[in-house]
Amino acid sequence: MKDQIYQKVMGEVPAFAFDEEVTRVFPDMIERSVPGYQATLSAAAALAQRLATPHSKIYELGCSRGAALLAIDRKLDPSLQVELVGVDCSEAMLKACQKDLVDSKMLKNHLSLIQEDIRQVELKDASLIVLNFTLQFIPIQDRLDLLCRAKKALRPGGALLLSEKIRLADERIDTLCIDLHHEFKKSQGYSELEIARKRDALVGVLVPEPIQAHKDRLSAAGFSASEVWYQAFNFCSLVALA
Ligand code: GEK
C-alpha cells in the first residue's frame, strides 16, 4: 500500500507512531524514505550467512514487518538450526509480521516473534544482532545499556549490524545532506508538504546522533571494533564485532 499518510494530515502534525496506519504502508514508506534500505537488508543476510553458528540465535530488534528477517532467512542454511528472533513493541507491526512471514509459510528457519520493548527483552546466545534503523527511536540515555546487553548476548565471533539516520559532524554538510535526502524523497514521489510534515512528526521521536557518538558507544559497550560499511547522505550502517 502506498504511503499517503502526510498528504491528508490537517492542522498540527501529531507525533510519529508505529500504529496501524503506519504499519499498513510501512514497506512502501521505508523503501521510499531511506536511501540504501535494500543494501542494509542484503548486508544483514550476507552477515548472517557468514557468521551464523549452529543452534545460535539471530535477533532483529525493532523488526517491523520482518523484511530483514526474511532476507536473512533466504540466505541462511537451515541445517545450522539457527533461531530467528524478531522483537518489536508495536502490536500492529508484530501482527503484520506474523501474517507476512509465518502464516504465509515463507520461512525455511525457525522464527520467534516477541512483542516487547527491546530495552527489556532477554538477549542470549546470538551469532548476529540486527538493529536496522531502530536505535534512533530509543531515548539517548537508554542506548548504551541496550548495546551492552547486545554485546553480552553475542557469542565470540558474533557481530552487530547497526543502521541509523545520523547527524553529520559538520553543520554545513549536515544541512546539505538533509537537502539531498529531501531531493531523494521527492524523486520517490513525496511532495514538499509531505516531506515537511513527516519531518515535523519525527521531531523528538527519531533522534539522530553523529557517527562518532555511535562508534564511542559501541566501544564503551565492549565491542572490539566498529566501522561504517555504508553511507548515503544522512543515513549510515555500521558493523561492530563482539
Ligand atoms: C526493517 N528493522 O524493516 N522496543 C521495540 N521496538 C521498538 C522500540 C522499542 N523500544 N522503539 C521502536 N521500535 C526494520 C525497520 S523501523 C525503522 C525498523 C523506521 C520499533 C518500531 O515499532 C518499528 O517497528 C521499528 O522499531 C523501527 O529493517 O521506521 O525508520
Side-chain angles (χ1 to χ4, degrees), residues 30-31 34-48 67-68 71-72 75 130 132-133 161-163 184 229-232 235-239:
I30 195 158
E31 186 73 45
V34 177
Y37 174 63
Q38 284 299 332
T40 63
L41 300 183
S42 302
L47 281 171
I72 290 170
K75 287 272 182 174
V130 177
N132 212 30
F133 304 105
L161 180 69
L162 174 64
S163 309
F184 166 82
W229 66 271
Y230 185 87
Q231 186 174 347
F235 291 83
C236 90
S237 187
L238 299 106
V239 63

Side-chain angles (χ1 to χ4, degrees), residues 1-6 16-34 37-38 40-41 60-68 88 90 92-94 96-97 100 132-134 136-137 190 198 202 206:
M1 255 181 92
K2 196 164 160 77
D3 169 24
Q4 297 176 323
I5 292 177
Y6 294 98
F16 185 81
F18 292 100
D19 53 18
E20 279 181 22
E21 191 183 24
V22 166
T23 297
R24 265 196 297 277
V25 301
F26 188 74
D28 178 67
M29 173 184 276
I30 195 158
E31 186 73 45
R32 291 200 291 133
S33 303
V34 177
Y37 174 63
Q38 284 299 332
T40 63
L41 300 183
E60 222 254 294
L61 304 180
C63 62
S64 302
R65 288 179 58 163
D88 206 292
S90 158
M93 283 291 188
L94 223 60
C97 187
D100 289 356
N132 212 30
F133 304 105
T134 301
Q136 59 197 18
F137 293 105
Y190 285 113
K198 173 83 177 284
L202 285 172
L206 188 169

